Amino acid sequence: MKDIVIIQYNAGNVRSVLFALERMGVHATLTGDHDRIRQADKVIFPGVGEASSTMAYLRRHGLDEVIRSLTQPVLGVCLGMQLLCTHSEENDTECLGIIPQKVKRFVPKNQSEHKVPHMGWNAIHREPGSFLPESVEGEYVYFVHSYYAEQGPYTAATCNYIEPFSAAMQKDNFVATQFHPEKSGPVGARILEQFVKG
Amino acid sequence: MLAKRIIPCLDVKDGRTVKGINFVNLRDAGDPVELGAAYSRQGADELVFLDITATHEKRKTLAELARHVAAELNIPFTIGGGISSVADVGVLLESGADKVSINSAAVRNPDLINDLSKEFGSQCIVLAIDAKQMEQGWYVHLNGGRIPTELELFAWAREGTERGAGEILFTSMDHDGTKQGFALEATARLSDLLPIPIIASGGAGTMEHFKQVFTTGKADAGLAASIFHFGEIPIPSLKNYLAGQGITMRII
């Protein structure tokens, strides 16, 4: 049985990730303890919240250094993905800098068509070599976000809302999704299952 | 393309779904979790659970409901019904709810919207507005349409958005229960006016009504209760029909 740790910090939706893993028979430990995180086989870095206050919390608790030092597979989710990048326009926040990419705010071109946040189900398209299972190509997954990572060399899947953006990213041992796999029905469950069991 | 959302709404009283429910192949259609799971399997994009229990034990029963739903379902859900404080919302989100909807409490204390969005983020705060068309325009009503207020619908929706609501759930009390179609003009006006998503509610009777609310009504999501509960419109048929009409749908 693999030791799965979910990083505990001042973020929402942690319960949903725990429940999603339990549904696939996987027990995960929710902890902010540095050693427990470093020793885990796999680490999940979830997140719903605001970038600057979350980064401040991570720094205050030394978790920024812990996350940067991880060499095992790490899955960032939503804000967790954005914080892996270098910088976010959300309150001009310096992020972890693990994935060299910037996070920008959605600018609607037409208000009745382009609501912000980008909230709901949208289709994703895998890039070649993506960590995402091939079976999720073109499938709909659940997004809730007002900021997005641009497309770049570390994009693992794209989604189109106002313009194309990174729906998933990967670099070395870090993989991440902008959408919420824990809320994305059977498609999301496949993605989580591949990460924790693969 | 972002898909338009289909959202069944479940009324819950004392932990049981109410309104005569006629759902085939369900062991216990009165169990909100089981009914929600059935909708999820059929392709519902989101669920709304509206607790209409009126007891002081409410916070506890709502949290239990959130926990049970979150443990079983892998799609987003909103919980509403008598939520009136930051503490109420904290317990629900911690229990696994994705969003909460607030209604009367926000009318009585508009600062609640600011407090909630600051504490938890706009994305999880749904401002539910029940309104009726009067001689002078659309006015907000409380307690299921029984109590009129001085608040004008569009002004209140705009104020709620500026205070930090992340979505508007607009119910036309004039259309609710009629099955004659959604309030298309008012819904479209809200959508044009506001930068946040609009969930339209009240009046769904046919599949074409949903098409109208997503096109003419410019809604981001359509919510209904009885037509789904009684199986009058199965969700898979509805979504296939809408997709065939050129509306972006998540088909499972």
Side-chain angles (χ1 to χ4, degrees), chain B:
Chain B
M1 282 275 282
L2 181 62
K4 300 288 188 182
R5 290 172 277 157
I6 300 294
I7 309 179
C9 177
L10 290 77
D11 285 351
V12 180
K13 191 176 183 190
D14 300 318
R16 306 281 298 170
T17 48
V18 292
K19 286 187 181 171
I21 284 168
N22 175 15
F23 219 83
V24 284
N25 301 329
L26 265 198
R27 195 162 37 85
D28 180 7
D31 176 0
V33 178
E34 194 169 341
L35 184 58
Y39 281 134
S40 173
R41 283 193 297 274
Q42 290 189 343
D45 297 307
E46 253 180 74
L47 296 169
V48 170
F49 293 88
L50 197 58
D51 192 290
I52 54 173
T53 318
T55 69
H56 41 267
E57 286 291 294
K58 184 144 188 160
R59 190 186 287 181
K60 208 174 121 205
T61 58
L62 272 180
E64 274 172 22
L65 177 63
R67 193 170 284 267
H68 287 133
V69 173
E72 294 296 325
L73 266 68
N74 55 14
I75 59 169
F77 69 97
T78 301
I79 287 206
I83 294 166
S84 59
S85 72
V86 169
D88 286 348
V89 174
V91 170
L92 290 172
L93 297 177
E94 156 61 21
S95 301
D98 298 284
K99 313 180 209 178
V100 295
S101 82
I102 51 171
N103 190 334
S104 312
V107 171
R108 284 193 288 269
N109 170 25
D111 285 341
L112 178 64
I113 308 171
N114 304 64
D115 296 344
L116 291 176
S117 66
K118 209 166 161 189
E119 183 77 21
F120 307 109
S122 289
Q123 82 290 335
C124 62
I125 311 302
V126 181
L127 178 61
I129 305 178
D130 299 337
K132 272 187 189 172
Q133 193 164 21
M134 323 282 277
E135 264 175 39
Q136 308 85 347
W138 284 87
Y139 281 85
V140 177
H141 284 62
L142 301 180
N143 289 37
R146 286 190 293 276
I147 305 174
T149 74
E150 304 277 293
L151 286 173
E152 196 269 330
L153 165 65
F154 302 101
W156 173 235
R158 188 195 286 269
E159 180 183 341
T161 306
E162 283 164 1
R163 286 177 177 274
E167 265 182 309
I168 301 287
L169 166 52
F170 164 55
T171 303
S172 163
M173 303 311 296
D174 300 315
H175 296 71
D176 201 28
T178 65
K179 299 192 178 179
Q180 297 297 307
F182 292 92
L184 299 178
E185 273 178 46
T187 304
R189 203 171 142 196
L190 284 171
S191 194
D192 284 334
L193 187 69
L194 303 174
I196 60 174
I198 308 296
I199 305 167
S201 156
T206 66
M207 298 202 276
E208 200 184 357
H209 291 153
F210 282 91
K211 179 191 171 188
Q212 291 164 349
V213 85
F214 291 135
T215 52
T216 315
K218 300 181 184 178
D220 299 281
L223 178 143
S226 56
I227 54 155
F228 296 139
H229 299 329
F230 291 107
E232 290 166 35
I233 300 183
I235 291 173
S237 316
L238 174 62
K239 293 184 107 179
N240 283 321
Y241 162 79
L242 291 170
Q245 297 292 314
I247 293 165
T248 309
M249 284 280 128
R250 175 182 72 114
I251 305 287
I252 62 168

Side-chain angles (χ1 to χ4, degrees), chain A residues 15-16 19 23 48 111-112 114-123 140 142 144 160-161 182-186, chain B residues 1-3 45 67 70-76 94 96 98-99 123 167 191-196 220 248 250:
Chain A
R15 178 78 47 198
S16 304
F19 280 139
R23 283 193 292 270
V48 165
Q111 182 159 294
S112 66
H114 297 141
K115 304 305 177 74
V116 177
H118 173 222
M119 181 186 288
W121 299 78
N122 206 335
Y140 281 80
Y142 187 75
V144 185
N160 199 336
Y161 188 66
E182 75 279 10
K183 288 287 166 181
S184 293
Chain B
M1 282 275 282
L2 181 62
D45 297 307
R67 193 170 284 267
E72 294 296 325
L73 266 68
N74 55 14
I75 59 169
E94 156 61 21
D98 298 284
K99 313 180 209 178
Q123 82 290 335
E167 265 182 309
S191 194
D192 284 334
L193 187 69
L194 303 174
I196 60 174
D220 299 281
T248 309
R250 175 182 72 114

Side-chain angles (χ1 to χ4, degrees), chain A residues 158-176:
Chain A
T158 56
C159 177
N160 199 336
Y161 188 66
I162 306 174
E163 53 196 299
F165 67 91
S166 290
M169 304 179 92
Q170 66 190 78
K171 183 173 184 285
D172 308 325
N173 56 314
F174 290 88
V175 299

Side-chain angles (χ1 to χ4, degrees), chain A:
Chain A
M1 194 81 180
K2 291 208 169 70
D3 179 29
I4 313 284
V5 158
I6 300 175
I7 299 178
Q8 184 170 32
Y9 67 110
N10 62 336
N13 102 315
V14 171
R15 178 78 47 198
S16 304
V17 176
L18 275 171
F19 280 139
L21 295 176
E22 275 170 25
R23 283 193 292 270
M24 52 190 76
V26 172
H27 173 75
T29 307
L30 184 62
T31 179
D33 182 82
H34 295 190
D35 290 336
R36 274 298 280 113
I37 296 170
R38 285 201 180 96
Q39 286 157 12
D41 293 320
K42 298 191 178 181
V43 175
I44 298 177
F45 179 35
V48 165
E50 188 275 323
S52 69
S53 59
T54 305
M55 274 310 299
Y57 180 97
L58 295 176
R59 287 198 190 97
R60 205 160 53 241
H61 293 80
L63 287 166
D64 56 333
E65 279 311 316
V66 173
I67 295 168
R68 280 193 199 100
S69 73
L70 296 176
T71 53
Q72 65 273 60
V74 179
L75 170 66
V77 174
C78 195
L79 180 65
M81 179 184 108
Q82 297 183 359
L83 294 182
L84 293 177
C85 296
T86 37
H87 179 270
S88 171
E89 282 185 1
E90 189 172 19
N91 293 314
D92 192 16
T93 302
E94 210 58 45
C95 299
L96 293 165
I98 293 166
I99 300 178
Q101 196 62 255
K102 287 188 170 159
V103 176
K104 300 169 75 172
R105 188 176 167 86
F106 281 120
V107 180
K109 288 179 185 152
N110 169 341
Q111 182 159 294
S112 66
E113 221 174 295
H114 297 141
K115 304 305 177 74
V116 177
H118 173 222
M119 181 186 288
W121 299 78
N122 206 335
I124 52 169
H125 298 284
R126 291 173 78 251
E127 292 291 323
S130 172
F131 71 94
L132 294 171
E134 280 179 26
S135 64
V136 307
E137 168 58 30
E139 294 278 8
Y140 281 80
V141 291
Y142 187 75
F143 291 88
V144 185
H145 59 127
S146 300
Y147 294 81
Y148 68 95
E150 295 181 289
Q151 280 184 298
Y154 303 102
T155 299
T158 56
C159 177
N160 199 336
Y161 188 66
I162 306 174
E163 53 196 299
F165 67 91
S166 290
M169 304 179 92
Q170 66 190 78
K171 183 173 184 285
D172 308 325
N173 56 314
F174 290 88
V175 299
T177 63
Q178 177 60 67
F179 54 89
H180 289 277
E182 75 279 10
K183 288 287 166 181
S184 293
V187 173
R190 287 209 296 276
I191 294 169
L192 274 181
E193 188 148 16
Q194 174 176 282
F195 177 77
V196 295
K197 295 185 175 170

